[in-house]
């Protein structure tokens, strides 16, 4: 049986067929759907973890115990997991261990477009790169064979186009893999300096053997046609290259890309007249090949930034711009991303944006859009958790230089659990003076509504203990905690005013469910969620445009009649009616 699957769905299927029994991840686009689909296989215990470091450590624990395990994350998540990552290859595994890195060329939903192939080389993980959904499944299964044969974890590197595009995948039965016996082995699993030095030597021997393997493995294969031109490529760039060159040239398609199959590359290069390396982002393969003193054409014509496609490759190689659908630029309206209508963060950001006497550091999440016009409320965004730590640094620098400046940091609930807590702990411990705002929308919003430690449910749908954010920050040492309804602008204003006068760390928790969330029974009881929509009385509207300042996509403006609220989008949050100075915005039916 064959089915159309995305690459992420195919990886989940591959884990199932490979006999995996433990999976862990922190959600992050483009990797999120891997765990969401694995959770459908009840043979696999699966969980969301607070961050990627924990995800890898949980999966490693499962592998050490003897179970085939998998951890999945987006490319920047691997940075969070880098600490255990650089030691895992040293210790090796027991049951097979696969780490999936979903890279994001083009930064469709990321803060950078790092190329995680270098992680494989630096952390000494053998690496597989599928080029379509079928390979995503097959390579996942193969990764477990390699992991257990060579006693190493394996990096499965996907990119956005593989993760989210669909292809036919052949289904096979699950292979029930008995959990291996765990044996106490301190020299193998205790990475002390004395043991680590021995482990490193052994790992280098494994890599030599793995390089020999990469020269012979069938997923590294030459496709000989006309030998005037040869193309070495991997991942989705292979599919693009095939579309551009067709069968007029020869290809060396690499699926096992670390260790690099040097003998195979040398043999291929010796048989073609001109050699291209087509790869997305960094010149990873190109640098390896040039180090072998083989001349290639690569990043001197292929862009080093952004996602590739056949048109880009064709223009770079042949200098010919392909015909494409013509666009009328005059009719295209710029539509920057914005917070949803009824987003509970909007009210707080509106009040925050009115203050000109403070600095506001932001974080990773949909609330990063609070930096966009007309709110312009957030001034920085670096990485998960950086809002709190960098706010502390800003406040300390001002104080050290005898300057006065109040600093607020803004972070979401899931991101706070991910890596914000340690920053807040640092502020308390080092006597900082920052107000941290935790925007609790009762879900992990940005990646598509995954549960987190504050929601009261696990990935597998079980009810669990929900962390009380107020008590948690109290336990860290925060004495001043305000929990407010962010849809009530008066509450927002009062909380900000109060925090401005506090000369020690404080926390504001804005608590209201995401407007797009599927509400739990408890939330239906706790919040007024069935709200009447708002409408503008054009007879009263003075066309002052104050309502536009909240940046709600449901509100537009007509020069003749004034403000207009799209009834299909409005959820009745009331923020717009609170800013209208003429009471022109009312509830439908009032």
């Amino acid at each position: 049986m064959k089915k159309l699957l995305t690459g992420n769905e195919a990886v989940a299927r591959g884990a199932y067929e490979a006999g995996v029994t433990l999976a862990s991840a922190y959600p992050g686009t483009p990797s999120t759907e891997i765990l969401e689909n694995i959770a459908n296989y009840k043979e696999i215990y699966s969980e969301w973890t607070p961050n990627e470091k924990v995800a890898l450590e949980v999966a490693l624990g499962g592998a050490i115990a003897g179970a085939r395990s998998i951890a999945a994350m987006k490319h920047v998540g691997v940075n969070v997991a880098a600490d255990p990552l650089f030691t895992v290859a040293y210790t090796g595994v027991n049951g097979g261990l696969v780490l999936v890195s979903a890279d994001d060329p083009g930064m469709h939903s990321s803060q950078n477009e790092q190329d995680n192939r270098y992680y494989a080389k630096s952390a000494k993980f053998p690496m597989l790169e599928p080029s379509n959904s079928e390979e995503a499944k097959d390579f996942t299964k193969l990764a477990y064979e390699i992991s257990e044969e060579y006693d190493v974890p394996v990096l499965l590197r996907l990119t956005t186009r593989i993760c989210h595009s669909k292809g036919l995948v052949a289904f096979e039965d699950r292979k029930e893999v008995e959990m291996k016996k765990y044996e106490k082995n301190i020299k193998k699993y205790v990475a002390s300096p004395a043991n680590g030095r021995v482990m490193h030597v052994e790992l280098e021997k494994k890599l030599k053997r793995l390089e020999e393997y990469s020269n012979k493995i069938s997923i590294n294969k030459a496709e000989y046609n006309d030998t005037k031109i040869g193309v070495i490529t991997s991942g989705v760039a292979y599919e693009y290259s095939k579309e551009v060159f067709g069968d007029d040239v020869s290809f060396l398609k690499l699926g096992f890309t670390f260790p690099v199959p040097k003998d195979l590359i040398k043999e291929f290069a010796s048989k073609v007249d001109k050699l291209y390396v087509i790869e997305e982002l960094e010149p990873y393969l190109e640098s390896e090949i040039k180090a072998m003193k083989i001349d290639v054409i690569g990043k001197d014509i292929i862009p080093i930034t952004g996602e590739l496609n056949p048109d880009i490759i064709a223009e770079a190689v042949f200098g010919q711009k392909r015909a494409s659908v013509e666009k009328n630029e005059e009719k295209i309206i710029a539509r920057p991303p914005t917070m949803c209508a009824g987003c509970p963060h909007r009210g707080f950001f509106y009040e925050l944006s009115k203050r000109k006497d403070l600095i506001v550091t932001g974080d990773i999440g949909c609330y990063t859009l609070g930096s966009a016009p007309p709110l312009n409320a957030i001034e920085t965004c670096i990485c998960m958790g950086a809002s709190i730590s960098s706010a502390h640094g800003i406040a300390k620098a001002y104080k050290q230089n005898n300057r006065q400046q109040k600093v607020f940091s803004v972070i979401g609930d899931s991101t706070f659990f991910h890596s914000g807590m340690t920053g807040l702990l640092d502020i308390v411990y080092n006597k900082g003076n920052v107000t941290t705002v935790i925007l609790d929308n009762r879900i992990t919003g940005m990646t598509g509504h995954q549960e987190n430690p504050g929601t009261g449910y696990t990935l597998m749908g079980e009810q669990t203990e929900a962390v009380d954010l107020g008590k948690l920050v109290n336990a860290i040492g925060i004495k001043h905690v305000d929990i407010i309804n962010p849809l009530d602008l008066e509450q927002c204003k009062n909380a900000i005013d109060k925090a401005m006068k506090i000369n020690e760390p404080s926390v504001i928790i804005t608590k209201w469910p995401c407007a797009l969330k599927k509400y739990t029974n408890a939330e239906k009881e706790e919040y007024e969620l069935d709200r009447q929509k708002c409408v503008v009385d054009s007879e009263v509207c003075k066309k002052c445009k104050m309502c536009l300042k909240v940046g709600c996509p449901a509100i537009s403006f007509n020069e003749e009649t004034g403000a207009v609220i799209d009834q299909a989008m409005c959820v009745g949050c009331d923020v717009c009616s609170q800013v209208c100075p003429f009471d022109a915005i009312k509830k439908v039916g009032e």
Side-chain angles (χ1 to χ4, degrees), residues 530-548:
D530 188 20
R531 292 185 152 215
Q532 195 71 3
K533 297 184 181 203
C534 294
V535 65
V536 179
D537 184 343
S538 58
E539 298 294 324
V540 180
C541 178
K542 304 297 183 186
K543 304 177 186 176
C544 68
K545 298 185 179 179
M546 276 298 293
C547 55
L548 299 182

Side-chain angles (χ1 to χ4, degrees), residues 155-216:
L155 180 70
L156 184 72
R157 191 238 185 188
L158 310 178
T159 55
T160 303
R161 204 55 52 182
I162 302 292
C163 293
H164 290 164
S165 60
K166 289 200 171 190
L168 280 174
V169 175
F171 277 34
E172 297 172 272
D173 292 336
R174 174 177 167 88
K175 178 183 177 183
E176 294 298 342
V177 179
E178 187 175 352
M179 190 174 174
K180 290 189 174 183
K181 182 181 179 183
Y182 170 74
E183 294 180 351
K184 185 176 180 178
N185 188 340
I186 292 174
K187 288 186 177 179
K188 175 174 171 59
Y189 294 119
V190 177
S192 63
N195 292 336
R197 284 190 282 268
V198 176
M199 292 174 188
H200 192 184
V201 173
E202 292 302 314
L203 177 56
E204 295 300 331
K205 291 177 183 176
K206 289 180 191 175
L207 292 174
K208 288 288 185 187
R209 289 169 50 214
L210 281 160
E211 183 181 330
E212 293 174 11
Y213 180 67
S214 73
N215 282 308
K216 298 172 184 172

Side-chain angles (χ1 to χ4, degrees), residues 129-164:
E129 288 190 79
S131 63
N132 54 45
S133 293
E134 178 63 61
E135 287 188 353
K137 190 206 79 167
D138 295 342
F139 286 15
T140 301
K141 297 170 71 175
L142 174 63
Y144 285 98
E145 303 297 329
I146 295 170
S147 178
E148 292 178 353
E149 172 68 23
Y150 290 89
D151 190 17
V152 288
V154 174
L155 180 70
L156 184 72
R157 191 238 185 188
L158 310 178
T159 55
T160 303
R161 204 55 52 182
I162 302 292
C163 293
H164 290 164

Side-chain angles (χ1 to χ4, degrees), residues 249-457:
V249 304
S250 297
F251 289 92
L252 179 58
K253 178 186 183 301
L254 299 181
F256 189 115
T257 48
F258 183 77
V260 169
K262 293 179 181 174
D263 291 345
L264 192 60
I265 290 171
K266 288 176 183 174
E267 180 185 352
F268 182 78
S270 71
K271 294 180 179 178
V272 299
D273 298 334
K274 182 186 283 187
L275 188 57
Y276 289 93
V277 176
I278 310 290
E279 55 188 331
E280 280 185 322
L281 298 182
E282 300 296 321
Y284 167 75
L285 291 171
E286 181 181 337
S287 299
E288 294 284 338
I289 295 168
K290 284 182 174 176
M292 291 182 249
K293 301 188 184 304
I294 296 172
D295 289 332
V296 297
I297 301 169
K299 291 302 173 186
D300 39 353
I301 62 168
I302 303 294
I304 198 170
T305 59
E307 189 176 28
L308 291 183
N309 63 41
D311 291 347
I312 294 172
I313 295 171
E315 186 172 357
V317 175
F318 300 117
Q320 298 172 345
K321 197 158 188 172
R322 287 180 157 192
S324 60
V325 178
E326 292 185 4
K327 297 183 291 187
N328 187 334
E329 299 290 348
E330 293 180 357
K331 292 186 177 180
I332 297 176
I333 301 171
R335 295 181 187 274
T338 184
M339 290 187 293
C340 305
C343 174
H345 306 328
R346 177 171 285 104
F348 191 82
F349 279 145
Y350 174 74
E351 286 299 326
L352 203 57
S353 67
K354 291 160 67 178
R355 303 301 298 254
K356 308 303 178 190
D357 52 349
L358 48 78
I359 294 175
V360 183
T361 58
D363 222 294
I364 302 289
C366 32
Y367 48 86
T368 310
L369 295 170
S371 63
L375 297 170
N376 301 312
I378 289 177
E379 300 167 58
T380 69
C381 177
I382 308 297
C383 66
M384 300 281 274
S387 61
I388 300 177
S389 315
S390 59
H392 177 58
I394 290 170
K396 283 291 185 184
Y398 268 88
K399 183 179 180 183
Q400 189 66 19
N401 290 280
N402 299 314
R403 297 183 184 181
Q404 296 292 321
Q405 183 62 60
K406 186 67 179 179
V407 185
F408 277 47
S409 63
V410 178
I411 190 168
D413 50 336
S414 186
T415 311
F416 180 73
F417 293 129
H418 178 282
S419 50
M421 290 192 293
T422 46
L424 188 60
L425 193 63
D426 185 49
I427 288 174
V428 173
Y429 173 63
N430 286 302
K431 301 181 179 180
N433 181 16
V434 167
T435 295
T436 299
V437 184
I438 304 174
L439 304 169
D440 180 5
N441 64 356
R442 315 301 302 137
I443 202 72
T444 307
M446 175 176 60
T447 46
H449 291 184
Q450 291 75 34
E451 306 292 349
N452 65 51
T455 64
Y457 291 89

